[in-house]
Amino acid sequence: MYFKKEFLDKLKDGKKIVFFTGAGISAESGISTFRGKDGIWNKMKPEELANFDAFIRNPDLVWEWYQHRRNIVNNALPNAGHTAIAELEKFYEVSVVTQNIDNLHRRAGSTKIFELHGNIERNFCIECHTFYNSPELETTNTVPKCKKCGGLIRPDVVWFGEMLPQDEFSGGEKAAEWSDICFVVGTSAVVYPAAHIPISAKRAGSYLVEINIEPTELSRYTDYSWFGKAGEILPKILEEVKKFKN
Ligand code: OAD
Ligand code: ZN
């Protein structure tokens, strides 16, 4: 495996690393990405499902769609990419800043995770804001009602037109700015404000490395773009690190 020297030096000297991840890191776990030829947004219009008005108009339909995605996520396993990131915690101070809602970084063992777009396992009442984890709710395909006030319960994910959770965003942005290396893995990097994070990292002097199966909007800003599957490249990086960090 060929490693660019400059990148290898960064790996040797670096202490803080950040992984900014998107749907592509979970593709090898069998979870569809949003864009691209097999993307979910080719089959479903986001404006019909992933927004608050759609939920109010047809809560059962939106709930059912998320229930379908919960089933996919629960039956999926973290892949070699997620696992390599978790194992890198033995050698670096690692932060994961993810746009994914699928919990696979946590299940792989990563401990410091900023979830920019929420988490499909968490839900809340739109009236009184009581939180419910998915297993506490009946797994029917109709929208559940709050035990306290009877309000509709929605998934705690960010929909179109909604703000990102501020603590997660600012925590993720700081981690990126303080990092020595920022890896951008499996994201088209077109959805803002999330996509600002790797740009902030680069502006603050972090070494920006992209891992993707194809070039993206970000490729022209990166210090190093590496084209291939995340589940194959990340374990190779881990192997290389073990050679000099052990
Ligand atoms: P996208 O579907 O836009 O992009 C997925 C990226 O992963 C593409 O650039 C693919 O080339 C790449 N990819 C696919 N398979 C890969 C693999 N095995 N290894 C490496 N890369 C691979 O997904 P995101 O960038 O995550 O937001 O999308 C960002 C946001 O758009 C999502 O969080 C979601 C969506 O609207 C919300 O729901 C708020
Ligand atoms: Zn309630």
Side-chain angles (χ1 to χ4, degrees):
M1 183 79 209
Y2 169 74
F3 283 77
K4 187 174 165 183
K5 168 138 192 338
E6 190 185 51
F7 171 56
L8 208 53
D9 289 343
K10 293 282 171 188
L11 272 183
K12 284 181 181 158
D13 299 341
K15 296 196 168 47
K16 294 181 184 170
I17 62 179
V18 162
F19 289 90
F20 176 72
T21 66
I25 194 166
S26 298
E28 290 158 82
S29 293
I31 300 173
S32 300
T33 58
F34 292 93
R35 298 169 186 82
K37 66 176 169 38
D38 300 320
I40 314 177
W41 293 154
N42 296 335
K43 297 169 202 140
M44 298 280 183
K45 289 203 178 112
E47 56 276 20
E48 281 169 17
L49 291 166
N51 75 74
F52 189 74
D53 290 343
F55 180 67
I56 294 302
R57 260 198 318 274
N58 201 339
D60 287 343
L61 174 72
V62 173
W63 183 263
E64 188 181 351
W65 188 55
Y66 278 94
Q67 199 60 23
H68 167 68
R69 290 179 62 192
R70 275 185 202 100
N71 288 337
I72 294 172
V73 161
N74 289 338
N75 290 321
L77 291 172
N79 64 52
H82 299 103
T83 313
I85 292 176
E87 204 178 330
L88 282 164
E89 287 192 14
K90 290 183 191 153
F91 310 104
Y92 299 95
E93 195 179 306
V94 178
S95 303
V96 176
V97 184
T98 189
Q99 301 164 88
N100 299 343
I101 59 175
D102 61 23
N103 254 315
L104 291 181
H105 285 297
R106 189 165 294 113
R107 285 170 58 197
S110 284
T111 58
K112 197 168 169 206
I113 306 171
F114 298 95
E115 290 175 323
L116 301 179
H117 291 161
N119 188 309
I120 199 167
E121 279 302 298
R122 228 173 25 232
N123 307 272
F124 66 92
C125 166
I126 64 169
E127 304 293 342
C128 74
H129 278 258
T130 300
F131 279 88
Y132 295 90
N133 285 326
S134 299
E136 297 170 54
L137 300 168
E138 278 185 37
T139 51
T140 62
N141 277 339
T142 50
V143 66
K145 307 271 167 45
C146 176
K147 288 179 191 124
K148 289 192 184 148
C149 79
L152 299 177
I153 293 175
R154 62 165 279 182
D156 188 14
V157 299
V158 175
W159 281 335
F160 285 91
E162 292 182 333
M163 298 256 295
L164 269 54
Q166 278 313 295
D167 291 353
E168 302 289 312
F169 185 80
S170 59
E173 190 169 48
K174 280 197 195 93
E177 286 170 353
W178 291 337
S179 68
D180 299 309
I181 309 175
C182 176
F183 290 93
V184 182
V185 187
T187 176
S188 55
V190 292
V191 175
Y192 285 85
H196 270 302
I197 287 191
I199 295 170
S200 302
K202 166 97 181 163
R203 281 199 188 131
S206 185
Y207 190 74
L208 199 58
V209 180
E210 174 174 59
I211 299 171
N212 199 302
I213 52 172
E214 61 187 27
T216 68
E217 292 294 313
L218 202 71
S219 303
R220 61 201 152 110
Y221 294 110
T222 58
D223 294 295
Y224 188 14
S225 285
W226 196 338
F227 301 115
K229 290 184 174 175
E232 292 169 8
I233 292 175
L234 290 166
K236 285 185 182 137
I237 293 174
L238 173 65
E239 250 171 63
E240 193 63 30
V241 166
K242 282 180 176 169
K243 288 184 195 161
F244 54 78
K245 291 269 188 188
N246 263 344

